[in-house]
Amino acid sequence: MGWRITSKTVRLNSGSSSKNKTPLCAKDISPGCGFPPPVIYTINCEIVTVKTLKSQYFMRNITSVTASSSEFYNTNCYPVREFGLKYRSLSGKYFSKKNNRLISFESSLENDFAEILEFDSAVVRYVEQPARINFEKTWYHPDFFVIYDDAKRINEGIKNAYYEVKYASEIKTLGIKGQRRFEKIKASIDEMGFEFKIVTDNEIRTDFLKNIKFLGYYKYKPTDPIIRELVMDIARTETFFNPNDIKTLIPGGMYEKAHAIFVIWNLVANQILTCDLRSLLNMETEIWLNI
């Protein structure tokens, strides 16, 4: 009849009669079970050398946000390269509300840094693996590009920045050549009006990160609106208070008092209430209204 039996192999050739001939991604051209070609996401990235960075923007869509970060919302920003499986470090994806998509990471340290960016109210959006630079015959991919709120940048002089995330132990093994490489990249990106920063586990894995992870459980949980309003009334009248004060300040029984503590952490997580997040949170932590 001329009809061929297709292969049951999912990833390899899609038809038994076309063995060693059919491309791996052949779903659209052969009747087998192959996958469609992988989607390659870009940010209109212009690939240039470090020497020409100071005169050419290699992220033309993103450079427009130097005037207004609100323009960034109109840019469909994705990584410029795909993420593969890592066997020597933790890799994966998680959903980012700020970016409204899955964010990929190639180490647990990158995941921790992304959690900080997700929590930081000054960060509008961020992109992982945002650009690629041809540097001394090799490709260099910064780990993140961070867009800051307009008011933050204007009032505090903060610039949108590229970040390289590394363990402190890796920095020590870079050597003189590796350090000079990052110095040249930083100098070129600085001339473009952006910043380039290297952050390590010493800056990322602090009590601040532990607090963010703790608050993450409470951030999107529903709360009782009546008890929430009672807590807000306390915040408006008291200069400072702590979770232990709830025992006397909130009327009602055990449920009301316990839920009021839950509400406090929910309000802190959503930055309606605030406190010193540089120290580990506890029942004695002083909390106040975030004005």
Side-chain angles (χ1 to χ4, degrees):
M1 300 285 294
W3 188 269
R4 69 182 182 186
I5 301 174
T6 58
S7 170
K8 293 183 179 179
T9 303
V10 177
R11 281 191 169 275
L12 301 179
N13 62 297
S14 61
S16 56
S17 64
S18 57
K19 185 178 181 182
N20 298 326
K21 299 289 185 180
T22 309
L24 296 183
C25 301
K27 185 177 181 181
D28 295 332
I29 63 173
S30 188
C33 303
F35 289 146
V39 178
I40 300 176
Y41 299 108
T42 66
I43 319 177
N44 271 354
C45 176
E46 180 179 348
I47 303 167
V48 298
T49 62
V50 169
K51 290 182 180 179
T52 59
L53 279 179
K54 56 188 177 183
S55 59
Q56 298 184 51
Y57 291 153
F58 58 88
M59 293 179 63
R60 293 196 180 278
N61 281 5
I62 282 187
T63 53
S64 65
V65 302
T66 54
S68 173
S69 62
S70 60
E71 296 177 34
F72 189 73
Y73 286 113
N74 300 322
T75 304
N76 189 21
C77 292
Y78 288 89
V80 298
R81 71 174 179 83
E82 294 194 2
F83 289 72
L85 292 175
K86 296 290 182 179
Y87 299 98
R88 298 182 62 183
S89 63
L90 177 68
S91 61
K93 298 176 183 287
Y94 80 95
F95 184 76
S96 163
K97 278 189 168 286
K98 283 188 175 179
N99 295 284
N100 195 32
R101 67 174 177 85
L102 290 173
I103 293 291
S104 300
F105 57 88
E106 292 185 306
S107 71
S108 60
L109 191 62
E110 286 186 13
N111 185 25
D112 288 342
F113 182 64
E115 284 196 53
I116 293 174
L117 297 177
E118 194 73 24
F119 183 84
D120 190 347
S121 60
V123 174
V124 177
R125 281 179 73 177
Y126 56 95
V127 188
E128 75 279 31
Q129 301 293 317
R132 55 179 179 173
I133 306 170
N134 188 349
F135 181 80
E136 296 179 353
K137 299 182 180 179
T138 61
W139 291 116
Y140 168 65
H141 298 84
D143 290 322
F144 290 95
F145 182 73
V146 179
I147 305 294
Y148 289 100
D149 178 73
D150 290 337
K152 191 82 172 178
R153 292 190 295 107
I154 294 170
N155 297 334
E156 301 184 22
I158 295 175
K159 297 179 180 179
N160 297 329
Y162 291 94
Y163 284 89
E164 177 72 22
V165 179
K166 284 193 175 295
Y167 289 93
S169 57
E170 292 181 280
I171 299 297
K172 293 179 181 178
T173 60
L174 281 177
I176 296 176
K177 184 177 180 180
Q179 291 176 8
R180 287 178 178 172
R181 177 174 182 262
F182 281 122
E183 286 172 1
K184 291 178 181 179
I185 292 172
K186 174 176 170 55
S188 297
I189 290 177
D190 284 348
E191 289 184 23
M192 289 172 55
F194 300 127
E195 284 194 60
F196 177 77
K197 299 179 181 179
I198 299 176
V199 288
T200 70
D201 48 320
N202 292 336
E203 292 84 41
I204 296 171
R205 289 181 171 163
T206 62
D207 288 344
F208 182 78
L209 177 65
K210 292 177 183 177
N211 289 332
I212 289 174
K213 289 179 179 289
F214 168 76
L215 294 171
Y217 171 79
Y218 298 91
K219 187 167 187 177
Y220 302 110
K221 299 288 185 181
T223 57
D224 186 308
I226 296 176
I227 296 179
R228 182 187 177 94
E229 189 56 34
L230 288 173
V231 172
M232 287 302 297
D233 286 341
I234 293 171
R236 294 185 192 105
T237 56
E238 300 287 333
T239 306
F240 300 101
F241 68 98
N242 63 57
N244 268 337
D245 293 335
I246 293 301
K247 297 175 183 177
T248 56
L249 295 174
I250 292 289
M254 184 180 298
Y255 168 79
E256 287 77 11
K257 296 179 188 296
H259 190 69
I261 294 173
F262 186 98
V263 169
I264 288 173
W265 297 133
N266 173 272
L267 292 172
V268 172
N270 287 286
Q271 301 178 56
I272 298 170
L273 300 180
T274 190
C275 59
D276 184 2
L277 291 173
R278 294 170 298 178
S279 301
L280 284 176
L281 298 176
N282 56 63
M283 295 295 288
E284 298 294 333
T285 297
E286 285 193 334
I287 295 169
W288 61 92
L289 188 64
N290 190 11
I291 302 174

